[in-house]
């Protein structure tokens, strides 16, 4: 068998290989020497997830590596994936480990993608940066959207959270979706909105890690292996996390021979390199292999134990995929594009509440309105629609495949969000003015209550002076 494989590999030296990936640059750099042993002419293309369908359509892509399962589910549903080669290495892989499904089997009984690595969602931070800022670790999604972090921003002018744009990072998209799964659609968007208001947006999940590492932001939601690579501390969100399954797959139109060899390489030699990158292998049994770095394997075993003890939401990739495109573009249109307006409005709300200009009830109402799904005008029907969960699912496929429609809806969402933020700003001003108008009327009453007390105190003081004077006179006589 090995001889046949060697002959096959020698024959393949005339082939080139093109791999579409969501892996970070460090992982690509580590993988390249391994892949070049089999394909001297190998290209790894780190494209944005929104570009994958067009690149597959163009042809010449032989393999897909890394990225959230939500992307692979969307590609599977739209017919962009081919069945994986039925090689022995794939057959040797168990269908699942515990409740973790390692193989995605389609309705035809064939395998369409395989879980190559297991990655948890965490909140990364630098202990040194927190100590310097006098801030305690944040260990929940809700706390990333909290008043405490907004106060930090108001006091320092520094945005304490860093987020990757969901259209640029499938892992960030999955984490932001997770917030709506934990808290429900409306409550979830409320937290996502205030979180975005105090966040720096960057163009990749790797940039989130680097921004936290440099101390330019205090907290960053990121995949777990980033914290180990960067030497950061981390919390597993107490209100819920999930495990990201880092897949490999074969796109339609791939060179079958090249895809076969790549499948074998990724399920054997490349899998051992996962531990070197602090990534949990899809099959955790690899951690017990004598061929892997024992120190790093020990770190991953401890982390896996922490993950398994956490509140795992286990959101099915099929569900996340059902509203993935709607979610990422709505997020971008309403929170990223309009962040300046959003930050000003949210800061004004919090500042007014802290200074006592609005009540707790008014604050909660303003916060709820700020994050509420927008009412927008459907560009085709002219009807008013609300971006509720059912709407997101209903239009998801079209948002994903019809660029012209997506651009029109995107614009409608953005303008509706702008109008909403302006409306919330006006309501805030109304509350402040109404509350201020009540205050002067209360002041005279307060002064009237104080005046009699002052008179009494003066009378007592005069009486005390008279008594003391009489005592001195009596003593002198």
């Amino acid at each position: 068998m090995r001889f046949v494989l060697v002959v096959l590999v020698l024959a393949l030296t005339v082939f080139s290989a093109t791999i579409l990936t969501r892996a970070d640059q460090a992982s690509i750099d580590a993988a390249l020497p391994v892949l070049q042993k089999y394909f001297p002419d190998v290209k790894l293309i780190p494209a944005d997830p929104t570009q994958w369908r067009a690149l597959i359509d163009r042809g010449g892509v032989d393999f897909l590596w890394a990225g959230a399962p939500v992307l692979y589910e969307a590609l599977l549903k739209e017919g962009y994936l081919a069945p994986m080669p039925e090689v022995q290495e794939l057959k040797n892989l168990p269908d699942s480990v515990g409740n973790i499904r390692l193989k995605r089997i389609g309705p035809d009984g064939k395998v369409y993608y395989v879980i190559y690595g297991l990655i948890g969602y965490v909140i990364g931070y630098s202990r040194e940066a927190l100590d310097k800022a006098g801030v305690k670790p944040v260990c929940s999604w809700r706390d990333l959207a909290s008043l405490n972090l907004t106060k930090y921003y108001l006091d320092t002018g520094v945005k304490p959270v860093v987020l990757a744009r969901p259209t640029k990072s499938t892992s960030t998209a999955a984490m932001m979706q997770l917030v709506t799964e934990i808290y429900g659609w409306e409550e979830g968007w409320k937290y996502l909105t205030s979180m975005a208001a105090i966040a720096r947006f960057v163009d990749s999940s790797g940039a989130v890690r680097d921004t936290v590492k440099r101390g330019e932001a205090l907290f960053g939601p990121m995949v777990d292996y980033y914290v180990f690579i960067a030497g950061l501390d981390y919390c597993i969100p107490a209100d819920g996390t999930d495990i990201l399954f880092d897949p490999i797959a074969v796109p339609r139109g791939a060179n079958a021979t090249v895809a076969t060899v790549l499948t074998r390489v990724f399920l054997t030699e490349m899998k051992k390199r996962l531990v070197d990158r602090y990534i949990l292998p899809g099959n955790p049994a690899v951690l017990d292999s004598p061929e892997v770095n024992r120190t790093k394997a020990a770190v991953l075993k401890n982390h896996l134990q922490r993950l398994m003890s956490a509140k795992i939401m286990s959101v099915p990739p099929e569900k996340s995929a059902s509203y993935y495109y709607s979610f990422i573009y709505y997020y971008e249109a309403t929170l990223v594009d309009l962040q300046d307006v959003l930050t000003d409005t949210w800061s004004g709300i919090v500042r007014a509440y802290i200074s006592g200009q609005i009540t707790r009830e008014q604050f909660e109402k303003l916060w709820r309105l700020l994050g509420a799904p927008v009412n927008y005008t459907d560009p085709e029907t002219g009807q008013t629609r609300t971006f509720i969960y059912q709407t997101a699912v209903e239009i998801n496929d079209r948002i994903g495949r019809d660029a012209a429609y997506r651009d029109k809806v995107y614009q409608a969402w953005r303008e509706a969000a702008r109008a909403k933020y302006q409306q919330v700003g006006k309501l805030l001003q109304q509350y402040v003015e109404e509350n201020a108008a009540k205050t002067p009327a209360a002041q005279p009453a307060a002064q009237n209550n104080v005046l009699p007390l002052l008179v009494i105190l003066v009378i007592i003081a005069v009486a005390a002076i008279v008594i003391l004077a009489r005592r001195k006179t009596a003593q002198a006589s």
Side-chain angles (χ1 to χ4, degrees), residues 276-293:
D276 291 335
R277 296 289 299 146
Y278 286 107
I279 299 175
L280 286 164
N283 184 356
V286 173
L287 294 174
D288 294 319
S289 170
E291 300 176 17
V292 302
N293 183 296

Side-chain angles (χ1 to χ4, degrees), residues 458-470:
V458 170
I459 292 173
I460 292 173
V462 170
I465 292 171
V466 171
I467 292 171
L468 288 173
R470 287 179 179 178

Side-chain angles (χ1 to χ4, degrees), residues 68-394:
V70 61
L71 175 59
Y72 288 71
E73 279 296 325
L75 294 173
L76 174 59
K77 184 177 180 181
E78 297 171 16
Y80 280 90
L81 299 186
M84 296 198 71
E86 296 181 1
V87 295
Q88 191 60 45
E89 291 83 354
L90 183 63
K91 294 176 181 178
N92 292 342
L93 188 71
D95 290 345
S96 61
V97 174
N99 64 346
I100 300 173
R101 185 177 62 186
L102 298 182
K103 297 177 181 176
R104 176 62 165 101
I105 299 174
D108 57 1
K110 297 180 179 180
V111 178
Y112 280 86
Y113 65 80
V114 173
I115 301 310
Y116 166 73
L118 304 178
I119 299 172
Y121 303 138
V122 301
I123 299 171
Y125 59 88
S126 163
R127 175 69 67 176
E128 180 182 354
L130 293 195
D131 290 344
K132 185 177 180 180
V135 176
K136 295 181 179 179
V138 164
C139 292
S140 72
W141 304 111
R142 184 167 58 185
D143 285 345
L144 284 177
S146 68
L147 281 178
N148 286 338
L149 289 189
T150 304
K151 289 177 185 176
Y152 175 85
Y153 167 67
L154 293 176
D155 291 341
T156 65
V158 177
K159 291 182 176 177
V161 179
V162 56
L163 297 169
R165 294 166 57 180
T167 56
K168 301 291 186 179
S169 166
T170 53
S171 59
T172 298
M175 285 185 272
M176 298 300 97
Q177 282 185 298
L178 183 61
V179 175
T180 66
E181 296 289 342
I182 294 170
Y183 289 103
W185 191 254
E186 291 200 9
E187 189 80 357
W189 277 107
K190 168 185 160 184
Y191 293 131
L192 290 177
T193 300
S194 53
M195 189 190 306
I198 56 170
R200 289 185 56 177
F201 282 106
V202 293
D203 284 340
S204 70
S205 52
V208 171
R209 172 200 62 209
D210 296 341
T211 301
V212 174
K213 176 70 174 176
R214 292 192 298 266
E216 295 170 3
L218 299 181
F219 303 102
M222 63 184 74
V223 291
D224 50 12
Y225 73 95
Y226 279 165
V227 301
F228 301 126
I229 290 172
L232 298 171
D233 290 293
Y234 71 101
C235 281
I236 297 175
D239 44 357
T241 188
D242 207 349
I243 296 177
L244 169 67
F245 307 133
D246 208 12
I248 54 174
V250 176
R252 70 186 186 197
N255 182 303
T257 308
V258 174
T260 297
V261 173
L262 286 172
T263 300
R264 285 176 162 163
V265 172
F266 270 85
L267 292 179
T268 53
E269 190 171 350
M270 287 288 287
K271 193 171 268 293
K272 296 171 187 176
R273 293 295 184 99
L274 286 174
V275 177
D276 291 335
R277 296 289 299 146
Y278 286 107
I279 299 175
L280 286 164
N283 184 356
V286 173
L287 294 174
D288 294 319
S289 170
E291 300 176 17
V292 302
N293 183 296
R294 306 311 308 156
T295 301
K296 293 180 179 180
V299 171
L300 290 176
K301 280 187 173 183
N302 178 65
H303 174 60
L304 181 60
Q305 188 174 28
R306 286 183 63 183
L307 272 179
M308 294 299 102
S309 301
K311 183 180 178 182
I312 303 293
M313 299 301 295
S314 298
V315 181
E318 302 93 317
K319 181 179 182 183
S320 298
S322 71
Y323 65 100
Y324 167 72
Y325 292 116
S326 298
F327 183 94
I328 62 173
Y329 286 110
Y330 176 84
Y331 187 108
E332 194 100 354
T334 62
L335 302 184
V336 181
D337 285 5
L338 299 178
Q339 192 195 32
D340 289 347
V341 182
L342 170 61
T343 300
D344 287 345
T345 306
W346 173 243
S347 298
I349 293 170
V350 174
R351 191 180 291 108
Y353 174 62
I354 293 173
S355 63
Q357 293 177 290
I358 59 173
T359 66
R360 180 72 191 190
E361 182 180 359
Q362 290 169 336
F363 167 75
E364 290 290 350
K365 181 178 179 179
L366 290 167
W367 190 4
R368 187 173 63 254
L369 291 174
L370 192 71
V374 301
N375 298 315
Y376 68 99
T377 302
D378 187 292
E380 290 196 339
T381 65
Q383 295 179 340
T384 300
R385 305 193 68 179
T386 303
F387 189 73
I388 58 176
Y389 171 76
Q390 290 78 4
T391 303
V393 172
E394 179 186 334

Side-chain angles (χ1 to χ4, degrees), residues 408-426:
K408 291 177 183 177
V409 174
Y410 189 100
Q411 181 68 20
W413 286 337
R414 185 167 54 195
E415 294 313 308
R418 188 189 304 277
K420 180 182 66 169
Y421 299 151
Q422 291 172 349
Q423 179 184 8
V424 171
K426 289 178 181 178

